[in-house]
Amino acid sequence: MAASDSRHHRDSERLNKNRREFSGALVLQVSETPSTDGIDSHGAGREEVELVRRQYLESEQRFRALLESLPKVAVQGYDRDRRVIYWNEGSTRLYGYTAEEAQGQLLEDLIIPAFMRDGVIQAHFAWIKDGVDIPAGELELKHKTGELVSVFSQHLMLNEHTDSPLMFCVDVDLSDQKRAHRDLEFATHFDRLTHLPNRQTFEVDLDSLLDSCRRQGNGLATIYLDLDHFVEINDALGYDQGDRLLVELTRRLIECQRVTDLVSRVSSDEFVLAFPGVHSDSDVRRVVRHVQNVFREPFVLDGRERQVTACLGVALFPENGESSRELIRNADVAKNRAKVDGQSAVRFFHQKLHDELVRQHYLSARLEEALDNGEFSLHYQPLVSATSGQIENLEALLRWKPAEGPPISPAEFIPLAERTGVIHRLGDWVIEEACRQQVEWRAKGFHEHRIDINVSGRQLVRTGALKSFEDALQRHGLGPRDIGIELTENVLIEAEETVLEDLRRLYHRGFRIAIDDFGTGYSSLSYLKHFPVTALKIDRSFIHDAPTQPKDRAIMEGAIFIGHRLGLEVVAEGVENVEQLSLLREMHCDLVQGFFFYRPMPAKEIDRLLGGLVPSHDGLSS
Ligand code: C2E
Ligand code: MG
Ligand code: MG
């Protein structure tokens, strides 16, 4: 016998055995206990009869136990008229009828929904008459309450060719799977908390809305909404209050919608809305106001009323994008710009804004590589004495000349380096390079000039930043006369106590610590006395306008006066002409720095300047 034949043989053996057991069960079901009379009358011995009877009962118990132990499997038996003759516990659980209630009832009256009734009767009839199998399949049958229940139903036909054919239905409850499937469907398309469409669903919906806008020649506004300080609300009040806020916000957003508008939640505190039929500027303003009004009333959180705000970014169809993806992305770009402006800000998408962000992204990604490739260098700008015009110090200014393309300004890449954290490596490089250069100059006999390096706030966030600055100097055999630092006033005000301690140590060791861009930050003069600083560098915006603007002149004069009273050296940045210089001299400013004297220049040029190979500036002789 071939292998498959033998398997087939085994399978049919098993099937026949199952059928025998089912038949046994059925007989038991119909006539409670098996009669042994027949066996007796054939003259078998009493013991033998007992044995058969016991085996019979055991077989029945096994079968019953099997059926009853399958809570999710409902088994029902029906006679040739489709009346219930067997109804297990699983059937009660699935369809709601007890065995007593079901017994004797018609299949079609019990669990068959009206629309299936005729089909079921016909199928049953076709089986009885012609032996046509009833196929297994997924069905929705009727519960006692009238609700539909999902089942996978198989049919087992017994005693086909007798007067009492029986049909057993074995139904597996699929409601858990169906529910899980529905939940999955929901989770892939909607947000669980607010029940709003998610980003994917919104994209699809918006694309079809755009199609109809295109057909009807309609404009559309896409608004990206980002809650302000949501993280703080979550942190301070707990996630459940954060959730509450989102749900209430959703309610308000839906309330202010027309049927054609779309709203979705795209991430934790971000929503995107679409308003078709927007044509003029005033239409756009109207929908923006609409969304802003949602925040007019306070939100009740943790039993208290709180004013919540959001930033909005707006992108318009067709001007700012043709597809849902483009519009959402551009509204997001505008929103990110609004975030920079501060809470409640609204921004409209502009291509320039987008290009700028793309460039920032590109530069951020390139910074580290540029450092490895040696694309950075230091330029030095002399600070000269306002009275003698002599070069006193040099400010080290970082330069980035990419392998390809024009140089990039530190005003552009320093903030990016701060954001990406590359500032730490970059800052370390600046310290090393300034030290190396100073050692070289000292070796050449230039002993007078100190190099001041700029240190940004982010650099100081790293623990021990100033200690590693001191270590670097020590490694190069340099001290306070060789290298100084410049910090902005905001850095000082926001500094941790440990940073201030380190600064105090440097101060007491005699390092020069200058406050850079003075006047552009908090500018609280009273702070000056608390900080361990030795110099003030007045921001160039005041110098620029001082000759023509009395107010700028007054501020400049005040800063110089107070700086001196506090024992600080005062420096004026950005001196570009003789009028500015004269004013500064009148005000007794100590040092000046600016294009009027020298531009920042490479170390080689400073070499020649300090070596007397090029004449020094004669700006003061006039
Ligand atoms: P800053 O420290 O205030 O540097 C002075 C800036 O003013 C420099 O710009 C300099 O080139 C420019 N400047 C000097 N004289 C004049 C003038 O007469 N007129 C005008 N219009 N500008 C003048 P730069 O080199 O573009 O640097 C910009 C800023 O980038 C610096 O401002 C500083 O905050 C930052 N920066 C530069 N190098 C470094 C660095 O190594 N580390 C850190 N953390 N920041 C740096
Ligand atoms: Mg500086
Ligand atoms: Mg400055």
Side-chain angles (χ1 to χ4, degrees):
M1 206 186 291
S4 65
D5 287 347
S6 86
R7 198 177 325 114
H8 180 79
H9 180 74
R10 274 200 313 276
D11 286 350
S12 52
E13 275 278 307
R14 204 176 307 129
L15 192 67
N16 285 336
K17 184 165 177 290
N18 285 348
R19 285 187 175 190
R20 279 197 299 279
E21 296 207 346
F22 257 111
S23 314
L26 181 66
V27 175
L28 287 174
Q29 181 68 32
V30 175
S31 59
E32 271 320 300
T33 47
S35 156
T36 50
D37 295 354
I39 300 170
D40 244 348
S41 64
H42 281 88
R46 191 123 197 108
E47 278 177 25
E48 215 175 313
V49 170
E50 239 341 279
L51 180 72
V52 172
R53 185 185 146 84
R54 221 177 28 249
Q55 282 176 346
Y56 206 42
L57 277 171
E58 278 170 11
S59 148
E60 192 248 353
Q61 274 163 1
R62 266 206 311 279
F63 174 70
R64 260 178 196 243
L66 176 75
L67 289 189
E68 299 309 330
S69 68
L70 297 171
K72 297 260 171 188
V73 180
V75 182
Q76 313 106 51
Y78 299 94
D79 66 11
R80 71 166 297 141
D81 301 323
R82 296 182 304 283
R83 286 188 191 282
V84 174
I85 53 157
Y86 179 74
W87 190 266
N88 77 343
E89 193 49 41
S91 299
T92 302
R93 224 167 274 144
L94 189 58
Y95 298 116
Y97 298 98
T98 62
E100 292 75 45
E101 284 171 327
Q103 199 78 32
Q105 299 272 1
L106 277 174
L107 163 66
E108 56 268 31
D109 291 346
L110 218 48
I111 59 172
I112 303 299
F115 70 94
M116 281 172 62
R117 195 184 168 91
D118 293 346
V120 166
I121 295 170
Q122 274 166 24
H124 186 254
F125 188 68
W127 167 61
I128 290 185
K129 198 165 149 280
D130 305 319
V132 180
D133 278 344
I134 301 177
E138 271 187 47
L139 300 172
E140 291 209 302
L141 299 182
K142 202 174 66 182
H143 187 268
K144 188 178 175 183
T145 59
E147 269 177 64
L148 293 179
V149 276
S150 293
V151 297
F152 183 82
S153 188
Q154 277 180 296
H155 311 91
L156 214 87
M157 304 314 197
L158 304 175
N159 309 343
E160 283 110 315
H161 310 296
T162 68
D163 286 345
S164 52
L166 297 170
M167 175 174 75
F168 272 74
C169 295
V170 182
D171 299 340
V172 180
D173 184 359
L174 293 183
S175 43
D176 283 351
Q177 283 99 312
K178 288 274 170 189
R179 198 173 308 118
H181 184 73
R182 266 200 312 273
D183 286 353
L184 187 70
E185 273 284 294
F186 189 82
T188 45
H189 292 105
F190 295 90
D191 166 45
R192 262 165 63 109
L193 177 69
T194 61
H195 297 182
L196 287 176
N198 62 15
R199 180 188 290 269
Q200 287 77 17
T201 309
F202 181 74
E203 272 183 20
V204 174
D205 293 350
L206 180 55
D207 270 325
S208 65
L209 186 56
L210 288 174
D211 279 342
S212 77
C213 284
R214 232 172 254 121
R215 278 195 305 274
Q216 294 161 13
N218 264 343
L220 174 144
T222 314
I223 299 184
Y224 208 113
L225 181 160
D226 185 328
L227 284 176
D228 297 321
H229 308 299
F230 183 65
V231 176
E232 284 140 57
I233 292 170
N234 258 341
D235 285 351
L237 307 179
Y239 287 122
D240 56 331
Q241 294 303 310
D243 285 355
R244 222 188 135 115
L245 167 59
L246 295 172
V247 170
E248 170 60 11
L249 172 62
T250 303
R251 194 192 62 74
R252 295 187 189 182
L253 287 173
I254 290 173
E255 206 176 65
C256 82
Q257 277 194 307
R258 298 165 304 177
V259 271
T260 47
D261 300 340
L262 298 177
V263 58
S264 72
R265 180 181 179 215
V266 291
S267 74
S268 85
D269 63 342
E270 297 183 333
F271 296 75
V272 187
L273 303 103
F275 300 90
V278 169
H279 296 282
S280 60
D281 285 358
S282 74
D283 287 345
V284 177
R285 278 199 299 276
R286 180 178 47 77
V287 293
V288 168
R289 243 195 338 268
H290 235 62
V291 177
Q292 285 175 318
N293 283 347
V294 160
F295 295 94
R296 250 211 331 237
E297 294 295 315
F299 288 75
V300 179
L301 299 173
D302 218 13
R304 271 187 48 204
E305 291 196 342
R306 284 163 212 267
Q307 210 61 54
V308 177
T309 57
C311 282
L312 306 181
V314 187
L316 304 174
F317 167 82
E319 299 91 315
N320 305 144
E322 285 281 333
S323 68
S324 64
R325 281 224 164 158
E326 237 180 312
L327 285 167
I328 296 168
R329 193 197 59 208
N330 291 344
D332 189 14
V333 166
K335 180 271 294 172
N336 287 333
R337 190 34 82 98
K339 278 271 159 193
V340 176
D341 295 346
Q343 62 182 46
S344 297
V346 183
R347 278 275 190 160
F348 289 80
F349 175 79
H350 289 294
Q351 193 56 41
K352 228 178 82 209
L353 201 80
H354 180 244
D355 295 347
E356 197 181 302
L357 280 169
V358 169
R359 176 175 160 85
Q360 282 184 4
H361 185 74
Y362 168 75
L363 292 182
S364 301
R366 274 234 55 217
L367 272 170
E368 201 130 6
E369 192 190 16
L371 197 52
D372 295 335
N373 291 352
E375 294 175 17
F376 288 99
S377 65
L378 285 185
H379 279 198
Y380 299 88
Q381 186 178 29
L383 277 70
V384 304
S385 154
T387 46
S388 68
Q390 237 192 327
I391 298 176
E392 299 281 331
N393 315 314
L394 302 163
E395 178 177 5
L397 293 162
L398 193 53
R399 293 290 174 262
W400 179 8
K401 170 87 183 70
E404 284 163 29
I408 297 154
S409 155
E412 182 172 16
F413 71 75
I414 295 282
L416 297 181
E418 290 186 322
R419 223 178 295 156
T420 55
V422 181
I423 193 68
H424 301 299
R425 271 193 71 199
L426 207 53
D428 290 346
W429 182 87
V430 168
I431 294 168
E432 276 302 312
E433 175 57 16
C435 288
R436 190 201 59 73
Q437 186 59 59
Q438 190 61 300
V439 168
E440 193 185 305
W441 278 332
R442 296 292 188 240
K444 285 182 178 168
F446 307 141
H447 290 294
E448 302 302 320
H449 317 96
R450 191 187 52 232
I451 298 177
D452 293 331
I453 60 176
N454 290 283
V455 177
S456 79
R458 262 310 290 274
Q459 273 171 273
L460 296 179
V461 168
R462 188 174 61 174
T463 39
L466 289 171
K467 284 217 182 64
S468 61
F469 166 78
E470 284 177 278
D471 291 346
L473 264 64
Q474 200 177 6
R475 250 195 336 272
H476 289 273
L478 299 170
R481 289 187 58 248
D482 305 302
I483 307 276
I485 57 173
E486 294 189 2
L487 305 162
T488 60
E489 51 191 324
N490 294 3
V491 172
L492 287 168
I493 287 165
E494 286 157 14
E496 300 269 326
E497 187 49 38
T498 54
V499 172
L500 291 176
E501 264 167 38
D502 286 346
L503 278 174
R504 272 182 220 119
R505 198 183 52 252
L506 289 178
Y507 177 85
H508 290 300
R509 285 189 56 199
F511 277 95
R512 183 202 192 239
I513 304 168
I515 298 190
D516 205 352
D517 305 339
F518 184 75
T520 57
Y522 293 109
S523 304
S524 169
L525 293 171
S526 67
Y527 275 114
L528 284 176
K529 67 171 194 253
H530 297 300
F531 293 126
V533 292
T534 61
L536 262 194
K537 295 186 78 178
I538 303 169
D539 190 69
R540 68 165 184 265
S541 55
F542 300 103
I543 317 296
H544 186 265
D545 297 328
T548 52
Q549 301 289 326
K551 280 186 185 159
D552 285 300
R553 198 157 60 227
I555 290 173
M556 206 168 76
E557 196 164 12
I560 294 173
F561 178 77
I562 289 174
H564 283 158
R565 292 302 294 262
L566 292 171
L568 306 175
E569 183 182 48
V570 181
V571 187
E573 300 181 311
V575 178
E576 294 182 344
N577 56 48
V578 72
E579 290 79 27
Q580 294 165 341
L581 178 64
S582 309
L583 255 174
L584 288 161
R585 290 185 75 193
E586 270 171 36
M587 294 173 184
H588 306 290
C589 185
D590 303 301
L591 297 176
V592 289
Q593 174 185 9
F595 297 168
F596 183 66
F597 292 95
Y598 305 101
R599 289 184 173 264
M601 54 187 111
K604 271 207 194 82
E605 280 179 38
I606 296 281
D607 255 11
R608 302 196 305 149
L609 191 65
L610 297 182
L613 299 176
V614 284
S616 318
H617 201 277
D618 61 353
L620 294 182
S621 55
S622 56

